[in-house]
Amino acid sequence: MDLANIAARLVADEKGLLAIDESNGTCNRRFADIGIEQTEESRRRWRELIVTTPEIGKSISGMILYDETMHQATAGGIPFGQVLVNAGILVGIKVDTGVKPLAGFPGDSITEGLDGLRLRLQDYAAIGASFAKWRAVFSAGDSMPSTACIAANAHALARYAALCQEAGLVPIVEPELLMEGDHDMETCGRLSRSILEAVFAQLSANKVLLEGMILKPNMVLPGTACREQPTVGQVADATLKCLLRAVPAAVPGIAFLSGGQSPELACARLNDMNAPFRSRMPWPLAFSYARAIQQPALALWAGQEDNIGLAQASLLHRARCNHAARRGEYDPSTDSPR
Ligand code: 13P
């Protein structure tokens, strides 16, 4: 499959992506919060539960794995990548190696992982990956993110994307402005637009084929500590306005991250952007959620074998709600916190 075909498949049929690519440290933190043992075997059992959820491929086009998961298998010995391929789900892989403080700019970060990336991408492609992910992180604050931080991360995203395309993998380009802080929605919109403009300038300068990538942005939201919290419709309006100004129409799809929004809000806001009364957007608006799909299921599972069915039902429910949101058909009144 060529790059444009893979990218088109990732956002086809109103489906979206499920990110299960938490690093071991992040996954362990989520386990610790609910008292699950933090071992390689626990992480394997949790990922087995997710990838073997019956029917999930009807709402999920691709799953993003972490390196450890890519090399793990079910208790019956089937590699997780193979389980996904058998279910008609494309296999993605997170290839950045993490977020570090940016030297000289306290509070700003830089995502690492370019060294040796060409060879790692070739290895992942050889074991079944069709797409990859790299996350750049920005904080809103006093003179943050700095111009240097935006430039460095935009350049790294573009170099990663070019290397992915050389290896035949579709890059998911993820610039995330974090929700933490007391900034208002207007500030988030202004900063998100500057970040996206810098990213697309670098993608263009590095000859990245826009038709062969997916953008994974944050929605335009006020900081979690901001006193004024907007309606679902206001978030949808602000997000679309920002994206229309900064994202070229040649991009085949936009798949939002959830960023710490509740599962219900992440779904309702996506739904509003896809509501039938809106004029058509240049790109499909999809989802690439981790927490907003996994979190209720993780709490239900709690590491117990007996809870696998309940947890899989919850995952399937959230995947279906977001699938409905892509059609503008999500009904919050029939949704439950689980
Ligand atoms: P959240 O949906 O939990 O923000 O995660 C998305 C993701 O893949 C972060 O890189």
Side-chain angles (χ1 to χ4, degrees):
M1 242 191 313
D2 71 14
L3 293 169
N5 276 326
I6 298 169
R9 238 186 93 182
L10 286 171
V11 291
D13 305 323
E14 278 87 35
K15 296 184 194 178
L17 307 177
L18 172 53
I20 57 167
D21 60 343
E22 297 84 3
S23 64
N24 292 347
T26 303
C27 190
N28 286 345
R29 266 199 306 284
R30 306 234 160 108
F31 282 6
D33 286 345
I34 41 183
I36 301 172
E37 208 188 1
Q38 295 126 61
T39 61
E40 181 176 344
E41 177 57 12
S42 292
R43 294 190 296 272
R44 193 202 64 72
R45 289 172 58 231
W46 172 233
R47 267 65 183 255
E48 173 165 355
L49 183 160
I50 297 173
V51 301
T52 59
T53 298
E55 309 262 300
I56 196 131
K58 290 188 176 162
S59 305
I60 299 294
S61 56
M63 287 197 203
I64 312 172
L65 311 185
Y66 183 61
D67 181 73
E68 177 183 85
T69 319
M70 192 78 183
H71 294 98
Q72 286 174 327
T74 62
I78 308 173
F80 287 150
Q82 192 57 51
V83 174
L84 294 178
V85 170
N86 293 348
I89 296 171
L90 292 170
V91 179
I93 177 78
K94 169 209 189 79
V95 297
D96 66 69
T97 56
V99 176
K100 301 281 158 41
L102 180 65
F105 295 87
D108 276 338
S109 341
I110 181 73
T111 300
E112 296 187 339
L114 287 171
D115 287 353
L117 181 58
R118 173 178 274 131
L119 288 181
R120 288 196 290 128
L121 291 171
Q122 287 166 5
D123 290 346
Y124 288 133
I127 55 171
S130 309
F131 67 103
K133 188 193 95 171
W134 178 292
R135 173 173 174 255
V137 179
F138 305 90
S139 296
D142 275 349
S143 41
M144 282 196 313
S146 62
T147 310
C149 169
I150 294 177
N153 279 290
H155 186 246
L157 275 169
R159 287 207 44 217
Y160 139 82
L163 283 162
C164 282
Q165 293 189 337
E166 180 189 84
L169 298 176
V170 164
I172 307 277
V173 173
E174 180 179 13
E176 174 175 10
L177 182 71
L178 296 174
M179 278 166 65
E180 283 76 26
D182 60 5
H183 55 279
D184 58 17
M185 187 165 73
E186 195 259 325
T187 304
C188 176
R190 184 171 42 77
L191 294 175
S192 299
R193 180 178 168 189
S194 301
I195 292 165
L196 288 170
E197 284 172 351
V199 168
F200 280 101
Q202 280 297 326
L203 290 171
S204 168
N206 285 276
K207 298 190 179 172
V208 172
L209 179 75
L210 295 181
E211 289 81 355
M213 63 163 277
I214 298 288
L215 178 70
K216 176 164 173 167
N218 52 278
M219 293 185 195
V220 174
L221 301 165
T224 40
C226 177
R227 279 213 213 112
E228 274 173 52
Q229 290 296 324
T231 64
V232 166
Q234 285 169 331
V235 169
D237 284 344
T239 303
L240 292 178
K241 185 168 154 190
C242 171
L243 294 173
L244 282 167
R245 287 175 168 172
V247 182
V251 171
I254 294 179
F256 293 102
L257 59 94
S258 62
Q261 302 175 67
S262 72
E264 294 78 17
L265 269 180
C267 198
R269 289 163 171 167
L270 177 66
N271 187 72
D272 211 79
M273 284 186 245
N274 282 303
F277 56 81
R278 285 192 184 278
S279 54
R280 284 176 69 85
M281 292 293 139
W283 351 254
L285 294 165
F287 56 93
S288 177
Y289 295 158
R291 282 164 287 179
I293 293 180
Q294 289 185 57
Q295 214 54 30
L298 183 63
L300 284 169
W301 176 56
Q304 303 302 316
E305 211 64 17
D306 288 349
N307 298 336
I308 289 177
L310 270 179
Q312 288 186 327
S314 166
L315 279 174
L316 187 61
H317 171 67
R318 291 257 56 90
R320 283 181 171 156
C321 284
N322 286 297
H323 190 201
R326 279 214 50 195
R327 303 188 299 271
E329 291 172 3
Y330 167 64
D331 180 358
S333 69
T334 61
D335 197 359
S336 71
R338 288 275 154 108

